[in-house]
Every structure is written in structure tokens, then in C-alpha cells.
Amino acid sequence: MAISYSGLAAFHAVAEAQSFTGAAKTRHVSQPTLSAQVRGLEDAYGVRLFDRAGRQVKLTPLGQSLFVVTARLFAAEDEAESLLAGSRTLQRGHLRIAADSATHVMAALARMRERYPGLTFSLTIGNSSEVVDQIMDFAADVAITARANSDPRIHSVRLRSDDLVAFVSDQHELARHDQIPIEAFAGQDIVLRERGSITREVFENRLSAAGIKPANLLEVQSREAVREAVAFGFGIGVVFAAEFKPEAGLKRIIITGADFDVGEYIVCRAERQRLPLVRSFFEMVQDVIETR
């Protein structure tokens, strides 16, 4: 049985938008037409790809597996189209970016938007593991991450290095110091990101290597939450030096006695590195780094 391309395209649009209404607008078709295309695909194979509850739709387990396949399929289609059509000159196109920090991303996007006003962008912020997963799953075109990767399927360029630093509330006992040895963390309360964060991974590895055991660990889900928790006295926070923004009530402290240098990388799928849109973003980010 020849699979229906229109059915696959309709399914992918709904899975991406998580809505039949949104997908219909994206594909410039009526919602009944889109629904019929998805239903035709389901009926042809006797499967259910979405659980429908009113206006909300949710992928079934089979639908989730198919979405991984269609993401690769339509990413390849976009790649072929971009090589043959107007995005060669970057007159139009859409770039999906994933990053574990927006520090350098926004400056690069601002330059691209100024130079190529016909482009559009979407940006997802997550921890380092999530960012790499998005590249591997074709959910993002490019990414900036602090996680080094030796997977041959990924093209990676090292941008710069940065150091982890500690920061505390100005009421904390360590606030009087400009720098502290790693041993100072023994018996202290620590505030860190969730597992998957390269900040947490590097910091915990250095503590373990030095045989240092902190007291309590408060795990939070974002950098903003780390700052809030530290400001309210929940413990010592750890962040990359470039990400620390001076703020009343917080004191940055340099950590000595261990190597806290971590690289920052821009990555994409290896087969997509020659795409004009991807290549231009690599160049923009590298230029932003060099001029700062």
C-alpha cells in the first residue's frame, strides 16, 4: 500500500501545532480537509494517532513514534527545498534554535534579522541534555550548548570557554569573600539546576573528585529559580561567569582549587551544516563571540 503523502503532512502539522485548528492555518487548508486527511491515514492502517478531547489533541504512543519519523522526513524535505529555492540567498526561511542559555543566541539572531529581514526564528531554552536531544530528534536546526559531543552525526564548533562561579545572598556567611576554595562547600547548602544541566554535572563531578560533601541540595528547574532561591537564603548557587548578572543582594564568588573551565559549542546535524541558513547562524554566533 502506497502511503499517503498528504496524510503524513497533515499528521505532522497537527503533531507540531498540537492542534487541528493551528495546523490548518499553517497548511492553508480548511480544518475539515485536514481532519479528513489525518482520518484517512488512520483508517488506511487501522490505527489511532491522536487522542482527541474537544479542541485538544494528544499523540498516542504510536503517534509519538511516527512523529519522530515525519520530523526526519520533513526536515530532509526542507533541506532539499532550501538548497534549490530562495533560502539559498536567505531571502526567506525559518530557523529553529535550541540553547541552554540565551546569552549569545539573541545577539546573533538580532544580527541575522537585521541582515535578512525575511527570516523567522523560534528559540527553545532547556538544559544541555535536552538541547542535544532536540538536534538529534530534528526538533531544532542548530543549538548552543556547554555539552561537548563526540557523536559523528553532530557537527560541533567550540566557541569559547567559561568558568563556573558561585554566588550567594549578601547575608550569607561567605558573602564577605571574593573567592573561596572548593573545600568551602563542605557542609554548605547548595542550589542547583535539574539533572541534565551541564552546570550541575561539572560542579558535582568536581566536588566528588575532591571528596567534598555538601549539606542539603535544593534542585530547581531554571536559572531564574536558582537566583530566586539563593536570594532568599536557601544556599549557594553555581552558574557560568558569563551568565551571572550583577544584582542587588547577590555576591559573586570565584571558586579556586579545581578546574571549573567548561567549553561552549554551537552544533547541528552533520548533514545539515552546509545549509545556507545553518551556516549563516554559525558565522553570526562566532562573530558575536569574537567581537565581545
Side-chain angles (χ1 to χ4, degrees), residues 82-83 87-97 112 116 118-121 141-142 272-284:
S82 69
L83 288 173
S87 57
R88 178 182 293 278
T89 57
L90 299 184
Q91 294 175 354
R92 61 188 177 86
H94 181 77
L95 186 67
R96 301 167 302 165
I97 308 104
M112 287 192 73
Y116 309 111
L119 299 181
T120 57
F121 309 94
D141 302 306
V142 293
R272 312 202 82 196
Q273 63 182 290
R274 291 181 296 276
L275 288 175
L277 198 55
V278 171
R279 187 174 66 245
S280 180
F281 183 76
F282 268 66
E283 293 169 354
M284 291 289 182

Side-chain angles (χ1 to χ4, degrees), residues 9 14 17 21 30 38 42 46 56-57 62 105 114 136 141 166 172 193 207-208 214 219 224 264 267 269 274 282 290:
V14 175
T21 302
S30 68
V38 173
E42 292 178 317
Q56 293 186 330
V57 294
L62 178 61
V105 176
E114 181 179 359
M136 296 306 299
D141 302 306
H172 195 279
R193 292 278 303 278
L207 288 185
S208 177
E219 177 181 298
E224 293 75 17
E264 185 175 37
V267 303
R269 295 281 304 202
R274 291 181 296 276
F282 268 66
E290 291 172 359

Side-chain angles (χ1 to χ4, degrees), residues 48-263:
R48 192 177 79 258
L49 299 173
F50 295 103
D51 287 322
R52 300 163 174 83
R55 294 186 176 182
Q56 293 186 330
V57 294
K58 183 179 180 182
L59 285 166
T60 63
L62 178 61
Q64 292 173 355
S65 298
L66 182 60
F67 186 42
V68 172
V69 175
T70 58
R72 294 198 301 267
L73 171 65
F74 291 107
E77 183 179 83
D78 289 344
E79 182 176 348
E81 195 276 339
S82 69
L83 288 173
L84 298 171
S87 57
R88 178 182 293 278
T89 57
L90 299 184
Q91 294 175 354
R92 61 188 177 86
H94 181 77
L95 186 67
R96 301 167 302 165
I97 308 104
D100 53 21
S101 170
T103 303
H104 304 303
V105 176
M106 299 312 298
L109 290 185
R111 292 192 186 187
M112 287 192 73
R113 185 179 64 173
E114 181 179 359
R115 186 173 299 180
Y116 309 111
L119 299 181
T120 57
F121 309 94
S122 59
L123 173 62
T124 303
I125 302 295
N127 65 45
S128 298
S129 294
E130 293 168 342
V131 164
V132 174
D133 286 344
Q134 288 192 62
I135 290 293
M136 296 306 299
D137 293 341
F138 293 89
D141 302 306
V142 293
I144 294 181
T145 176
R147 184 175 298 281
N149 196 297
S150 58
D151 191 319
R153 294 172 296 175
I154 289 183
H155 172 62
S156 175
V157 173
R158 186 181 177 107
L159 294 172
R160 64 194 293 277
S161 296
D162 202 356
D163 291 306
L164 293 182
V165 297
F167 67 102
V168 296
S169 160
D170 58 10
Q171 303 300 311
H172 195 279
E173 61 180 339
L174 295 177
R176 65 181 184 274
H177 300 285
D178 292 324
Q179 63 180 35
I180 56 174
I182 190 172
E183 290 79 10
F185 288 94
Q188 293 285 348
D189 293 336
I190 311 294
V191 183
L192 290 173
R193 292 278 303 278
E194 74 283 0
R195 294 197 179 277
S197 159
I198 196 68
T199 302
R200 175 170 177 169
E201 180 180 312
V202 170
F203 183 68
E204 289 188 326
N205 285 344
R206 300 299 183 271
L207 288 185
S208 177
I212 296 168
K213 294 183 179 180
N216 300 308
L217 171 65
L218 175 63
E219 177 181 298
V220 296
Q221 299 298 311
S222 69
R223 289 178 179 82
E224 293 75 17
V226 171
R227 292 178 72 90
E228 286 296 311
V230 170
F232 278 95
F234 280 90
I236 307 172
V238 180
V239 69
F240 283 108
E243 296 171 351
F244 181 82
K245 307 300 181 187
E247 181 179 322
L250 295 178
K251 171 70 179 294
R252 190 184 84 156
I253 306 174
I254 296 172
I255 311 170
T256 63
D259 180 13
F260 285 101
D261 178 80
V262 181

